[in-house]
Amino acid sequence: MYVEAQNKLKKPEWLEGSWMANVPEGKFKEVWVRVSENEWSGKGYQFKGADTVFREELRLTYIKNDLVYTAIVGGQGAVSFRNTSKEAQKFVFENKKHDYPQRIIYVFKDSLTIHVKVQGLMNGKLEEENLILTKVK
């Protein structure tokens, strides 16, 4: 049973579902669904009251045994980040050539909690955003 649970965490199956976080500007929601054996589709939203102030399309895909996180924000082009972590409960997606962020980290805490860090240099200064996502469905 333990080995089965560990193998499940090596794939992002634990991301499936709806997740919510309170942020200073309102609420942030991320929703993930499995598309195929090696692909997950996600959407991220930030709400301020009844208004959606931020939206992104997300995709996780295994490409040649690498897990790749791709984001499309507000009509801009797709930006991909490659997982550099070998840990079962943590994904570290990096793209050092991207303006901001250069790193997106997902840490599985338990079946109801994920910690997300968005990091990178902005105007020469290290910036970091932290989200504690709680499963809502």
Side-chain angles (χ1 to χ4, degrees), residues 2-136:
Y2 176 76
V3 171
E4 183 178 308
Q6 285 298 99
N7 286 337
K8 186 175 182 180
L9 286 175
K10 289 181 182 176
K11 287 197 173 184
E13 293 171 343
W14 45 267
L15 274 177
E16 292 175 34
S18 295
W19 302 86
M20 189 76 76
N22 291 317
V23 294
E25 302 81 20
K27 293 197 178 286
F28 180 82
K29 182 176 185 179
E30 217 168 82
V31 180
W32 288 95
V33 295
R34 186 180 198 147
V35 176
S36 70
E37 177 67 24
N38 292 312
E39 186 174 0
W40 290 260
S41 177
K43 294 185 186 300
Y45 309 91
Q46 188 169 325
F47 303 98
K48 187 173 184 176
D51 296 329
T52 302
V53 295
F54 174 82
R55 172 182 272 159
E56 62 185 342
E57 299 288 326
L58 306 168
R59 186 157 307 274
L60 286 171
T61 311
Y62 273 96
I63 300 172
K64 297 181 182 179
N65 294 323
D66 283 332
L67 184 59
V68 178
Y69 176 102
T70 302
I72 302 172
V73 179
Q76 299 174 8
V79 178
S80 294
F81 300 78
R82 191 174 70 75
N83 181 36
T84 59
S85 173
K86 301 301 180 201
E87 297 179 47
Q89 298 182 2
K90 180 178 183 178
F91 294 118
V92 178
F93 299 104
E94 292 190 82
N95 179 340
K96 293 179 181 176
K97 294 180 181 178
H98 189 247
D99 57 356
Y100 181 84
Q102 291 92 40
R103 180 184 288 175
I104 302 167
I105 302 167
Y106 282 78
V107 180
F108 176 83
K109 294 295 188 183
D110 58 48
S111 63
L112 298 176
T113 311
I114 296 172
H115 184 187
V116 179
K117 293 181 187 178
V118 179
Q119 303 173 326
L121 291 174
M122 186 182 290
N123 300 322
K125 181 180 172 194
L126 182 61
E127 299 285 338
E128 179 174 281
E129 301 170 55
N130 285 284
L131 297 170
I132 304 298
L133 295 173
T134 303
K135 195 159 198 171
V136 292

